[in-house]
């Protein structure tokens, strides 16, 4: 990439200086002595393994947590934040991964939520002015959004833009994004990058957290690497490449990212025959052999998740059959599917994955209690032991099996879900974006795990938006477009370009 | 540590109330009779509060328990009188007791069915059945109570000098505590309350479990209703009027969250005793039942506010 796309803003002014920040949660030292400086008009990436302390650092900046020690300096003056509102007032806006917009309001109403422009009469708001202001603001940053659109009807990418405009309406000088791209489609990612570059051009300081290191090399000016709550490196991105960053993150060289696939394929294990559902998909047919990993590619909205939902009994099937080991299954609910030997790791860990308020061990064993011989009476000691063993195997960072799910970092929560379905011992496992939000080291572990599961003769369906991992780990790739299966390709006989073309081609016709 | 303190808070308040009352009214408060009285009242409401705990853990609510209690008592007493005449004895009392408990179970089952099959909010459904059950109880004998003069065993009977109602309460505490902690039904109750969608995706049969929870609560209301009937040796169609307030308050004071996923039987017991002692104390201090409502209302808000505050502290510190 050329350096001309990078910042050319005056780098002498520090928009943000966090000095010697420390923070502990009970016995866990999440941050120790972290200093972090961001210049105005730059994008500063924050990277590190799961649980390194990235989210904690930015939550301190946003006034969600109070640091145990250290200071925050914004544009030269020192602040202490007791709550997020004070941080907002000081010009810090945070774009959370799961956006917190009011779904039933329009974009403009959201932009001015809690900050409404007063109308002529008392207790009224000037909706017209808000729409106009929103349009102007979006215009001045070259964003395209419709101010009168209801948020519930917008795509995730558009919602993020609304959040950003909301931040701008509050005169934010520092915008923090915690894993903003993990639920975006490829084209939405491109657009978000344009938006971020525009922010930078206008002199806003952007703090950007992501596990996708290609994005960081592409977008950021500087990068700070955290490991175990400490800063291990801070440098301009131009002087670094991905292997270097990874080495700083994990403290060692990471070789051979994808395991070699040498599994002998067995008989056909899973056959899906002409399956349609009330939710978008129609006439889906494919087979998976024992030991085979089959990938599913497609744009966001192509119906990949819906295939998984139909198989798992969440969406009603309108036609078609599912056969496991040549036996036709009748599945009307997830509990049917699980007792037939099917597992589904869902893509949205907050909504359909974890019970965040409950202990980690409970989350892990939830679908497997019966299988573990705890159909009548639960044995907590044994349950904890099982969960503990899995945590060690997946190197989950937690304060023990009874710690509540929401005390874990995002990536470790994802690993908890992987642990759950690993325990369930299914014959047919569906993974919907299993590597979302987990760090490079953990990703490698997950790939290895998938490979081992296949080696045990399981049939695996692997849904992913990241083509490199699909190509790295699968034997075959199914391509979906608009709810239909448009191609069924051997991974070794196709290319990323071909898959991308097949997934998108219809729009050009 | 902080979490421990938070859990001890209701218990501490309970001890405090007992100490204050002992100091203020040593003669009337610190007597065996008074304590037995408080325990009897606690066991009646506590039994229902235990059912309510499971409902609230599942992120639901049951507003109909007070009315259901009246209906169960009326139905039970009607069976007694129907079988055994104006002053029923022996088998007819047993038949009526069983009928009352079955009636409660049925009412709870109805709540559960309406909530799951019609996909309605528990609040709305039980608001409806609250009125519905009360209506039937009142219509049955045109608003008149049914007298069962010899139905004394559940209130006055004792085993090894311990009142029967307290023994029943103890058995239910142990059983419910076990169910919530050590069975799948209990585990699924927490999961549904914490994140219903996630529980469903993990293979929990959400509807079936919810029906179980509401039916279980109805069953417990049936038992409590028969104890109440025995206490007054008559079934009152106005029994349990406003009881849902005390019961929900006890559960919430005991640390359960109306948002679901949180709550314990132990907490609820402490909450129940807290409210019983509070009511008892008010009576001894000469505060009228009407004025007691004011005190109870303030205590509920205070307890929940303190709990929220403590919770926010644990999160940020
Ligand atoms: N509310 C909390 N209570 C207890 N521990 C917490 C809490 N929040 C975070 N932690 C712990 O602090 C450490 C840092 O967590 P943090 O969320 O900052 O990690 P992260 O770098 O954002 O990781 P990820 O890439 O997985 O999102 C972790 O060990 C985590 O378990
Ligand atoms: Mg994080």
């Amino acid at each position: 990439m050329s350096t001309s796309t990078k910042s050319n803003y005056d780098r002498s002014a520090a928009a943000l200086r966090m000095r010697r920040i420390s923070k502990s949660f009970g016995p866990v030292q999440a941050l120790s002595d972290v200093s972090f400086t961001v210049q105005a008009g730059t994008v500063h990436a924050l990277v590190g393994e799961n649980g390194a302390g990235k989210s904690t650092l930015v939550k301190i900046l946003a006034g969600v947590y109070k640091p145990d020690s250290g200071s925050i300096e914004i544009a030269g003056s020192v602040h202490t934040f007791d709550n997020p509102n004070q941080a907002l007032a000081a010009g810090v806006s945070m774009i959370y991964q799961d956006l917190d917009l009011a779904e039933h309001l329009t974009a403009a109403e959201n932009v001015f939520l809690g900050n409404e422009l007063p109308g002529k009469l008392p207790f009224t708001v000037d909706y017209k002015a808000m729409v106009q202001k929103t349009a102007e603001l979006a215009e001045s940053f070259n964003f395209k959004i419709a101010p009168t659109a209801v948020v519930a009807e917008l795509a995730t990418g558009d919602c993020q833009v609304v959040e950003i405009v909301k931040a701008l309406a509050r005169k934010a000088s520092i915008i923090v994004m915690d894993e903003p791209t993990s639920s975006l489609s490829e084209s939405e990612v491109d657009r978000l990058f344009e938006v971020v570059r525009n922010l930078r051009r206008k002199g806003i300081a952007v703090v950007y957290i992501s596990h996708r290191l290609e994005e960081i090399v592409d977008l950021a000016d500087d990068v700070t690497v955290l490991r175990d709550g400490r800063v291990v490196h801070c440098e301009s991105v131009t002087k670094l490449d991905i292997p270097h960053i990874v080495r700083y993150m994990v403290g060692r060289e990471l070789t051979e990212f994808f395991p070699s696939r040498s599994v002998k394929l067995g008989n056909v294990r899973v056959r899906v025959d002409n399956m349609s559902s009330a939710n978008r998909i129609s006439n889906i047919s494919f087979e998976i052999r024992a030991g085979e990993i089959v990938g599913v590619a497609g744009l966001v909205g192509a119906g990949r998740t819906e295939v998984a939902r139909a198989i798992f009994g969440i969406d009603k099937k309108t036609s078609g059959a599912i056969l496991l080991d040549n036996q036709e299954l009748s599945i009307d609910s997830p509990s049917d599917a699980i007792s037939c030997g099917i597992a589904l790791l869902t893509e949205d860990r907050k909504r359909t994955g974890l019970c965040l308020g409950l202990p980690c061990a409970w989350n892990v064993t939830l679908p497997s209690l019966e299988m573990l011989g705890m159909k009548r009476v639960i044995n907590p000691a044994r349950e904890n032991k099982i969960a503990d063993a899995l945590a060690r195997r997946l190197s989950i960072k937690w304060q023990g099996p009874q710690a509540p799910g929401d005390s874990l970092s995002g990536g470790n929560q994802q690993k908890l879900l992987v642990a759950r379905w690993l325990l369930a011992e299914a014959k047919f496992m569906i993974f919907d974006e299993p590597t979302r939000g987990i760090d490079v080291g953990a990703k490698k572990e997950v790939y290895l795990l998938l490979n081992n599961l296949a080696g045990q003769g399981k049939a695996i369906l692997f849904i992913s938006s990241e083509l490199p991992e699909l190509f790295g780990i699968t034997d075959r790739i199914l391509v979906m477009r608009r709810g239909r299966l448009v191609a069924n390709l051997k991974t070794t006989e196709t290319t990323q370009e071909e898959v991308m073309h097949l997934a998108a081609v219809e729009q050009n016709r | 540590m902080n979490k421990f303190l938070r859990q001890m808070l209701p218990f501490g308040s309970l001890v405090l109330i007992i100490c204050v009352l002992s100091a203020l009214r040593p003669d009337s408060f610190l007597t065996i009779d008074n304590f037995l009285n408080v325990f009897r009242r606690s066991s009646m409401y506590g039994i229902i509060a235990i059912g309510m705990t499971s409902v609230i853990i599942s992120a639901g609510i049951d507003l109909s328990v007070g009315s259901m209690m009246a209906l169960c008592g009326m139905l039970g007493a009607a069976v007694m009188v129907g079988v055994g005449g104006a002053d029923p004895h022996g088998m007819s009392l047993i038949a009526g007791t069983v009928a009352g408990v079955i009636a409660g179970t049925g009412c709870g089952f109805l709540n559960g069915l309406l909530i799951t099959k019609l996909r309605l909010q528990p609040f709305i459904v039980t608001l409806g059945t609250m009125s519905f059950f009360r209506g039937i109880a009142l219509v049955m004998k045109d608003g008149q109570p049914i007298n069962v003069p010899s139905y004394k065993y559940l209130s006055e009977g004792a085993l090894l000098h311990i009142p029967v109602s307290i023994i029943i309460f103890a058995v239910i505490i142990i059983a419910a505590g076990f169910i919530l902690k050590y069975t799948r039904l209990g585990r699924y109750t927490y999961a549904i309350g914490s994140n219903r969608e996630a529980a469903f995706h993990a293979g929990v049969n959400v509807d079936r479990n919810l029906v179980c929870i509401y039916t279980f609560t109805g069953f417990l209301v049936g038992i409590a209703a028969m104890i109440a009937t025995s206490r007054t040796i008559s079934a009152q169609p106005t029994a349990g009027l406003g009881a849902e307030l005390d019961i929900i308050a006890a559960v919430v004071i005991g640390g359960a969250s109306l948002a679901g996923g949180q709550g314990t039987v132990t907490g609820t017991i402490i909450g129940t005793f807290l409210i019983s002692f509070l009511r008892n104390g008010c009576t001894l201090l000469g505060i009228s039942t009407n004025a007691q409502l004011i005190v109870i209302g303030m205590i509920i808000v205070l307890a929940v506010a303190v709990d929220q505050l403590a919770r926010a502290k644990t999160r940020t510190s």
Side-chain angles (χ1 to χ4, degrees):
Chain A
M1 90 236 59
S2 67
T3 41
S4 66
T5 66
K6 298 275 172 179
S7 167
N8 45 17
Y9 202 78
D10 173 19
R11 284 184 148 230
S12 58
L16 168 70
R17 253 181 230 285
M18 296 178 82
R19 269 188 244 257
R20 313 203 60 172
I21 302 277
S22 294
K23 171 75 186 168
S24 62
F25 295 99
V28 178
Q29 192 69 38
L31 294 172
S32 14
D33 224 359
V34 169
S35 295
F36 181 59
T37 304
V38 186
Q39 312 294 333
T42 66
V43 177
H44 197 128
L46 203 50
V47 300
E49 289 180 288
N50 296 131
K54 305 177 295 292
S55 298
T56 305
L57 185 66
V58 294
K59 280 181 185 164
I60 287 174
L61 174 60
V64 178
Y65 295 143
K66 270 182 115 163
D68 300 336
S69 64
S71 66
I72 302 173
E73 205 176 279
I74 291 169
S77 54
V78 176
H79 291 261
T80 50
F81 301 136
D82 290 326
N83 57 50
N85 283 333
Q86 293 178 357
L88 272 176
V92 180
S93 273
M94 178 118 165
I95 315 288
Y96 287 99
Q97 187 185 336
D98 33 355
L99 307 162
D100 47 5
L101 293 171
E103 293 213 338
H104 304 294
L105 301 183
T106 63
E109 282 167 326
N110 265 292
V111 165
F112 287 96
L113 196 66
N115 200 9
E116 285 84 358
L117 301 175
K120 289 199 186 69
L121 294 169
F123 306 115
T124 61
V125 295
D126 191 344
Y127 184 60
K128 250 195 189 145
M130 296 199 309
V131 170
Q132 202 192 342
K133 257 321 247 285
T134 305
E136 274 169 22
L137 235 109
E139 184 87 12
S140 69
F141 280 83
N142 258 333
F143 305 158
K144 288 180 197 68
I145 54 165
T148 51
V150 174
V151 164
E153 284 156 16
L154 294 178
T156 322
D158 293 310
C159 294
Q160 266 176 351
V161 176
V162 173
E163 282 269 15
I164 292 169
V165 175
K166 182 172 164 185
L168 296 171
R170 296 182 177 185
K171 311 233 178 327
S173 59
I174 301 165
I175 294 183
V176 182
M177 300 185 186
D178 195 351
E179 303 191 33
T181 52
S182 62
S183 47
L184 295 186
S185 68
E186 207 116 344
S187 60
E188 286 179 318
V189 169
D190 289 342
R191 211 196 32 183
L192 179 74
F193 282 14
E194 259 327 290
V195 168
V196 172
R197 291 194 176 106
N198 281 330
L199 292 174
R200 173 168 65 195
R201 216 165 288 141
K202 297 269 180 174
I204 285 170
V206 179
V207 178
Y208 188 92
I209 299 177
S210 178
H211 286 290
R212 298 193 184 163
L213 301 178
E214 317 83 60
E215 295 180 351
I216 283 165
V217 177
D218 195 13
L219 184 68
D221 301 297
D222 305 300
V223 57
T224 291
V225 185
L226 287 178
R227 188 164 75 222
D228 295 329
R230 293 171 190 281
V231 176
V232 290
H233 197 75
C234 178
E235 200 175 2
S236 160
V237 170
T238 43
K239 301 192 187 108
L240 285 168
D241 54 10
I242 292 179
H244 273 96
I245 300 177
V246 170
R247 200 183 315 139
Y248 285 120
M249 279 172 63
V250 299
R252 63 191 151 85
E253 207 86 41
L254 211 58
T255 49
E256 286 185 33
F257 203 49
F258 296 109
S260 60
R261 301 272 305 131
S262 56
V263 176
K264 269 229 158 28
L265 299 189
N267 295 328
V268 171
R269 249 214 130 149
V270 176
R271 220 176 93 204
V272 172
D273 218 3
N274 215 10
M275 180 180 72
S276 304
S277 87
N279 194 356
R280 234 183 306 187
I281 56 163
S282 49
N283 304 91
I284 306 287
S285 302
F286 61 89
E287 289 179 350
I288 308 177
R289 293 169 171 275
E292 194 176 26
I293 304 180
V294 174
V296 187
L299 302 177
V300 168
R304 295 169 301 168
T305 295
E306 285 72 13
V307 169
R309 287 172 62 95
I311 295 174
F312 207 58
I314 302 163
D315 291 340
K316 211 171 160 49
K317 286 176 279 293
T318 49
S319 73
I322 301 164
L323 287 84
L324 187 60
D325 294 332
N326 288 321
Q327 278 211 312
E328 184 162 352
L329 310 176
S330 88
I331 296 172
D332 290 317
S333 70
S335 66
D336 290 349
I338 291 168
S339 47
C340 289
I342 303 178
L344 167 63
L345 188 149
T346 57
E347 62 174 338
D348 187 340
R349 69 168 167 263
K350 269 237 166 86
R351 219 172 57 74
T352 57
L354 296 171
C355 297
L356 284 174
L358 300 183
C360 292
W362 295 15
N363 273 296
V364 171
T365 57
L366 190 59
S368 313
L369 288 171
E370 192 171 342
M371 187 212 71
L372 293 171
M374 304 194 199
K375 181 169 179 180
R376 299 230 155 65
V377 180
I378 294 171
N379 176 345
R382 207 177 127 227
E383 183 180 36
N384 284 341
K385 216 146 108 208
I386 291 168
D388 222 17
L390 278 165
R392 218 156 316 127
R393 188 160 151 209
L394 297 174
S395 44
I396 297 178
K397 269 179 83 176
W398 67 14
Q399 289 176 48
Q402 286 300 312
D406 50 14
S407 69
L408 267 59
S409 78
N412 282 300
Q413 289 173 8
Q414 186 69 24
K415 291 193 206 170
L416 207 59
L417 266 187
V418 175
R420 167 192 288 177
W421 293 112
L422 212 56
L423 180 63
E425 294 272 349
K427 296 181 216 145
F428 172 25
M429 305 181 79
I430 309 172
F431 291 88
D432 195 353
E433 311 275 3
T435 60
R436 172 173 286 178
I438 66 179
D439 65 51
V440 274
K443 264 188 193 164
K444 189 178 161 182
E445 291 301 314
V446 169
Y447 300 143
L448 211 64
L449 219 96
L450 286 175
N451 203 26
N452 289 343
L453 290 171
Q456 295 163 20
K458 297 182 192 304
I460 294 176
L461 192 66
F462 181 62
I463 303 172
S464 173
S465 300
E466 291 181 54
L467 287 179
E469 68 176 16
L470 277 181
F471 276 81
I473 186 80
T474 62
D475 301 307
R476 264 184 314 124
I477 295 179
L478 310 175
V479 186
M480 291 200 61
R481 189 172 67 215
R482 295 240 190 142
R484 286 170 187 277
L485 209 66
V486 291
N488 185 340
L489 312 159
K490 257 187 121 91
T491 309
T492 46
E493 291 168 6
T494 181
T495 59
Q496 298 198 18
E497 288 70 31
E498 187 186 8
V499 169
M500 225 134 65
H501 182 72
L502 283 166
V505 74
E506 200 173 35
Q507 287 154 358
N508 306 334
R509 270 192 200 156
Chain B
M1 191 61 211
N2 219 329
K3 201 175 156 201
F4 177 72
L5 271 180
R6 204 183 87 213
Q7 279 162 354
M8 290 313 285
L9 199 69
F11 188 68
S13 327
L14 178 60
V15 172
L16 187 76
I17 289 178
I18 293 177
C19 290
V20 169
L21 287 171
S22 309
L24 287 176
R25 288 283 182 280
D27 309 333
S28 50
F29 181 72
L30 276 179
T31 62
I32 292 183
D33 268 355
N34 188 49
F35 265 68
L36 275 184
N37 196 16
V38 171
F39 271 59
R40 284 210 188 91
R41 183 190 183 279
S42 299
S43 60
M44 205 172 66
Y45 279 4
I47 289 170
I48 302 178
I50 285 172
M52 187 70 83
T53 308
S54 65
V55 167
I56 287 181
I57 291 173
S58 78
I61 191 95
D62 189 343
L63 299 175
S64 71
V65 288
S67 307
M68 201 191 288
M69 193 169 148
L71 178 58
C72 295
M74 289 296 283
L75 286 173
V79 169
M80 288 175 198
V81 176
V83 176
D87 185 4
H89 277 86
M91 281 313 289
S92 48
L93 293 183
I94 295 177
T97 309
V98 172
V101 175
I102 291 177
T105 313
C107 290
F109 185 67
L110 178 69
N111 277 336
L113 273 193
L114 290 174
I115 287 164
T116 54
K117 293 290 169 254
L118 300 183
R119 308 220 155 273
L120 293 174
Q121 297 276 337
F123 184 91
I124 300 297
V125 168
T126 57
L127 189 68
T129 52
M130 170 168 141
S131 162
F132 179 73
F133 296 152
R134 177 75 64 195
I136 299 179
L138 284 165
V139 165
M140 266 178 72
K141 284 276 180 285
D142 223 5
Q144 297 303 309
I146 304 174
N147 293 320
V148 277
S150 308
Y151 190 48
K152 290 184 180 156
Y153 184 70
L154 286 183
S155 62
E156 290 174 14
L159 277 175
L160 304 166
H161 302 292
I162 306 170
V164 180
S165 62
I166 293 180
I167 293 177
I168 296 176
F169 187 32
V171 170
I172 289 173
I173 289 174
I174 294 169
F178 183 84
I179 291 175
L180 273 181
K181 217 167 169 180
Y182 295 107
T183 68
R184 279 194 302 159
L185 174 63
R187 184 57 63 80
Y188 291 167
T189 306
Y190 281 100
I192 292 168
S194 173
N195 185 346
R196 182 177 174 149
E197 201 63 18
F200 173 69
H201 281 80
V204 174
N205 190 331
V206 174
D207 285 359
R208 195 168 63 200
N209 279 284
L210 284 178
V211 171
C212 279
I213 291 163
Y214 285 90
T215 307
F216 176 62
T217 303
F219 166 74
L220 295 180
V221 171
I223 294 176
M226 295 328 289
I227 295 176
T229 305
S230 177
R231 262 162 71 96
T232 51
I233 47 170
S234 68
Q236 307 280 345
T238 52
L241 201 63
E244 58 282 345
L245 173 79
D246 277 23
I247 289 162
I248 293 169
V251 175
V252 172
I253 287 172
S257 157
L258 287 177
Q262 273 177 22
T264 58
V265 170
T266 334
T268 295
I269 312 277
I270 294 172
T272 305
F273 276 107
L274 204 116
I275 294 214
S276 292
F277 273 113
L278 218 80
R279 289 244 185 219
N280 177 249
C282 287
T283 312
L284 293 181
L285 293 174
I287 302 173
S288 73
T289 28
N290 293 344
Q292 281 177 24
L293 286 176
I294 302 175
V295 178
I296 300 283
M298 291 195 305
I299 295 287
I300 294 173
V301 175
L302 188 76
V304 177
V306 169
D307 188 54
Q308 288 292 328
L309 218 70
R311 220 168 281 196
K313 269 261 163 59
T314 22
R315 203 170 309 129
T316 51
S317 69

